[in-house]
Amino acid sequence: DNFNTFLHQLDFYKQVVLRLGWSAFLVLRVKLLSAFPDVVSCVELLPCIFAILASHAPRLPDCLTHITREDRGKFLLKSMADVCKADYGRVQARMPSVEALLTQVFTSAVPEWRTAVAEAKAKALSDASGPAAVGGVDLVA
């Protein structure tokens, strides 16, 4: 398997991130796309996952070094769509459903995320000017 050969050449952290990204792609593909997704739909899903992974990376990959940490929220998804040669408008339209599903998966599996969502909901309820309900954790911020 070429993927496993490639993984052995990377350090442990990168291996974990790549496996997480691949697993997230497979789960999202099954949950968000049709039973027999076309290649274009899959290509639109990849930049969403890449953007989420890259937004939490301590250092961006070389192809994204032109994006400063302050501009990540604004330009990261567009840059990832450009790298994958996907239509940015369609990728941007797909991103809310990707974030919602990943938030649901991660908050049920990761205790720290459950705590973060519970604290955000409590803060929103106690803050009169805040929204009435919080959808989840912002994955790209």
Side-chain angles (χ1 to χ4, degrees):
D1 184 26
N2 290 339
F3 186 66
N4 285 328
T5 304
F6 172 71
L7 282 179
H8 290 297
Q9 297 170 1
L10 299 174
D11 63 17
F12 180 73
Y13 174 75
K14 289 180 183 174
Q15 288 182 29
V16 170
V17 170
L18 284 175
R19 286 188 189 275
L20 175 66
W22 181 245
S23 298
F25 172 77
L26 293 176
V27 167
L28 292 171
R29 188 188 65 162
V30 168
K31 296 286 188 180
L32 297 178
L33 303 179
S34 64
F36 301 102
D38 58 302
V39 173
V40 174
S41 298
C42 291
V43 168
E44 292 168 358
L45 187 60
L46 282 173
C48 298
I49 295 168
F50 289 155
I52 290 169
L53 291 176
S55 69
H56 296 286
R59 186 178 73 80
L60 287 176
D62 294 337
C63 64
L64 298 173
T65 54
H66 64 281
I67 300 175
T68 63
R69 189 167 279 283
E70 297 80 34
D71 292 337
R72 278 191 187 186
K74 211 179 333 177
F75 297 116
L76 187 59
L77 189 60
K78 172 121 179 66
S79 294
M80 295 311 299
D82 291 344
V83 167
C84 293
K85 308 232 183 311
D87 182 329
Y88 175 63
R90 292 177 65 153
V91 170
Q92 195 175 22
R94 189 171 296 282
M95 192 64 181
S97 59
V98 168
E99 284 186 309
L101 185 57
L102 279 181
T103 299
Q104 179 184 2
V105 168
F106 286 147
T107 53
S108 63
V110 181
E112 291 83 6
W113 284 42
R114 258 195 311 269
T115 304
V117 169
E119 288 173 0
K121 285 181 180 179
K123 184 177 185 298
L125 290 174
S126 67
D127 186 10
S129 64
V134 175
V137 178
D138 185 6
L139 297 175
V140 181

